[in-house]
Amino acid sequence: MRFDPSTLRYTADGLLPAIAQDARSGEVLMLAWMNAEAVARTLESGRVTYWSRSRQAFWVKGETSGHVQTLVEMRLDCDRDALLLLVEQEGPACHTNRRSCFFTAVRGGDEVVLSEPMV
Amino acid sequence: MRFDPSTLRYTADGLLPAIAQDARSGEVLMLAWMNAEAVARTLESGRVTYWSRSRQAFWVKGETSGHVQTLVEMRLDCDRDALLLLVEQEGPACHTNRRSCFFTAVRGGDEVVLSEPMV
């Protein structure tokens, strides 16, 4: 079946969550949002392109930082309302300069920082 | 710092996306939604508990199917608006009886099914 981004199920604001996972290591790097046009642009260009909710604009990951995400494979879930992006990540994915945005764990009721910014 | 579920950043409907990842294999199993009370219940019980948007009710994963998710570790992202759950998954995570909900890939513009239901 041909894939059509308009057949995905978006929330009321026209977005769905997209998980970026390191295609090699399996590390979950970040979660961001896409609209149908961002999905189409990502597939066409191979450069992962989100929709920035704060800036209300397309966000070609790494366009300013150089920390680009190259799409290896896009997957959709059974409900067609979430995406998993297998990517090659250049440098850190997180704006704090860490490889992954998920660097804080909850352990024994406390927040524990698991990694430091890359140098 | 003590962790307080109310300090997470929820969308207008009081929810945030939670990614479940197999703690052992690294496979991303599913994405579902939590409100603050679901986060608290998951931490207290160690049984992953989502908020079902379709049923508008708490959803203790596996309560009816037996395919429970036991929490190994909860992580939050830099923006405090998404969760990564490292879990031990009993059997399939997906209601289609597949291990992961992300069993459909987009390859060459087509949807390709990557795995079959478990028997």
Side-chain angles (χ1 to χ4, degrees):
Chain A
M1 189 170 79
R2 294 298 288 173
F3 172 70
D4 177 353
S6 73
T7 64
L8 297 175
R9 292 169 61 202
Y10 301 91
T11 53
D13 52 7
L15 303 177
L16 53 64
I19 305 157
Q21 182 180 31
D22 187 310
R24 218 161 316 181
S25 70
E27 185 176 18
V28 173
L29 300 171
M30 58 183 283
L31 182 146
W33 300 82
M34 288 188 172
N35 57 20
E37 177 65 20
V39 173
R41 290 188 186 195
T42 297
L43 287 169
E44 281 160 26
S45 67
R47 291 275 298 273
V48 177
T49 303
Y50 300 104
W51 178 260
S52 168
R53 295 184 299 174
S54 53
R55 293 189 290 109
Q56 290 287 304
F58 290 104
W59 166 30
V60 182
K61 175 70 182 160
E63 199 169 38
T64 53
S65 67
H67 302 142
V68 300
Q69 284 179 351
T70 304
L71 185 69
V72 175
E73 185 161 277
M74 181 181 289
R75 296 185 186 166
L76 37 143
D77 77 348
C78 50
D79 293 331
R80 306 179 74 83
D81 61 4
L83 295 176
L84 176 64
L85 312 170
L86 304 182
V87 303
E88 283 177 12
Q89 171 69 51
E90 186 72 36
C94 184
H95 75 287
T96 67
N97 225 37
R98 291 170 171 92
R99 181 73 177 169
S100 166
C101 293
F102 294 96
F103 58 82
T104 305
V106 180
R107 292 181 178 170
D110 289 319
E111 296 189 16
V112 179
V113 173
L114 302 178
S115 67
E116 294 307 314
M118 296 168 78
V119 285
Chain B
M1 189 168 78
R2 295 298 290 174
F3 172 71
D4 177 353
S6 72
T7 64
L8 297 175
R9 292 169 62 203
Y10 301 90
T11 53
D13 53 6
L15 303 177
L16 51 64
I19 305 157
Q21 182 180 32
D22 187 310
R24 219 162 314 182
S25 70
E27 184 176 18
V28 173
L29 301 172
M30 58 182 283
L31 182 145
W33 300 81
M34 287 189 173
N35 57 18
E37 177 65 20
V39 173
R41 290 189 186 194
T42 297
L43 286 169
E44 283 161 23
S45 68
R47 291 277 298 273
V48 177
T49 303
Y50 300 103
W51 178 259
S52 168
R53 295 184 299 174
S54 54
R55 291 188 292 108
Q56 289 286 304
F58 290 104
W59 166 29
V60 181
K61 174 71 181 159
E63 200 169 38
T64 52
S65 66
H67 302 141
V68 299
Q69 284 179 348
T70 304
L71 185 70
V72 175
E73 184 161 276
M74 181 182 289
R75 295 185 187 167
L76 36 144
D77 77 348
C78 51
D79 293 331
R80 307 179 73 82
D81 60 4
L83 294 176
L84 176 63
L85 312 169
L86 305 181
V87 303
E88 282 177 11
Q89 170 69 51
E90 186 71 36
C94 184
H95 75 286
T96 67
N97 224 36
R98 293 170 169 92
R99 181 72 179 169
S100 166
C101 294
F102 293 96
F103 57 83
T104 305
V106 180
R107 292 180 178 170
D110 288 320
E111 296 190 16
V112 179
V113 173
L114 303 177
S115 66
E116 295 306 315
M118 298 168 77
V119 285

